[in-house]
């Protein structure tokens, strides 16, 4: 499933990458030793990817710095997103002033794809 996403999604094959790890050091709110997070973006399509290397579900608060929004050309706010691994739709709240809550299953990931209006 991940390999199919890697070859079929333009945000992955042709897009830019933004690593979120520097903004999310090890803390109670974000288990950086177990989680890895980043954005991919190509034109109007964007993805937030959070990978969980733990055998336990991770509930985390993800910091997204203002620079990420500037670099990627993403507006802050609520986004309708779909998790490409589960097919479930969700509302993703992205802000540089408040962390984004994420829940990631054990030994799995979430790949939240959303579209920008720009």
């Amino acid at each position: 499933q991940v390999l199919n996403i890697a070859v079929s999604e333009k945000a992955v094959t042709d897009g830019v990458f933004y690593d979120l790890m520097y903004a999310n050091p090890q803390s109670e709110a974000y288990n950086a030793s177990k989680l890895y997070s980043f954005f991919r973006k190509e034109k109007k399509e964007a993805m937030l990817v959070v990978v969980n290397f733990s055998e336990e579900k991770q509930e985390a608060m993800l910091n997204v710095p203002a620079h990420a929004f500037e670099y990627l050309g993403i507006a802050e706010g609520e986004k309708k997103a779909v998790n490409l691994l589960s097919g479930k739709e969700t509302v993703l709240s992205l802000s540089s002033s408040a962390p984004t809550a994420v829940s990631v299953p054990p030994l799995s990931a979430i790949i939240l794809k959303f579209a920008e209006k720009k």
Side-chain angles (χ1 to χ4, degrees):
Q1 196 176 12
V2 172
L3 290 175
N4 286 334
I5 292 167
V7 298
S8 66
E9 292 291 335
K10 290 288 185 189
V12 177
T13 61
D14 301 330
V16 295
F17 172 85
Y18 192 93
D19 187 0
L20 291 168
M21 295 308 293
Y22 82 93
N24 292 281
Q26 185 71 34
S27 69
E28 284 186 39
Y30 189 89
N31 191 346
S33 65
K34 305 289 185 190
L35 295 171
Y36 179 60
S37 55
F38 59 92
F39 279 107
R40 296 294 305 219
K41 180 163 186 277
E42 171 62 13
K43 297 183 181 172
K44 293 183 181 183
E45 293 184 352
M47 292 179 185
L48 170 62
V49 179
V50 184
V51 181
N52 178 6
F53 296 102
S54 170
E55 293 182 2
E56 298 175 3
K57 180 179 180 181
Q58 297 292 310
E59 303 285 346
M61 300 303 288
L62 176 68
N63 294 312
V64 181
H67 182 257
F69 295 101
E70 294 167 19
Y71 177 76
L72 296 168
I74 296 173
E76 296 189 42
E78 291 190 344
K79 316 286 182 188
K80 290 182 183 177
V82 63
N83 184 338
L84 296 180
L85 295 175
S86 69
K88 292 182 181 177
E89 293 184 5
T90 188
V91 174
L92 181 61
S93 182
L94 296 174
S95 172
S96 61
S97 61
T100 299
V102 293
S103 177
V104 191
L107 301 172
S108 189
I110 56 172
I111 302 175
L112 300 175
K113 180 180 177 180
F114 58 95
E116 275 300 295
K117 295 174 181 155
K118 292 182 182 181

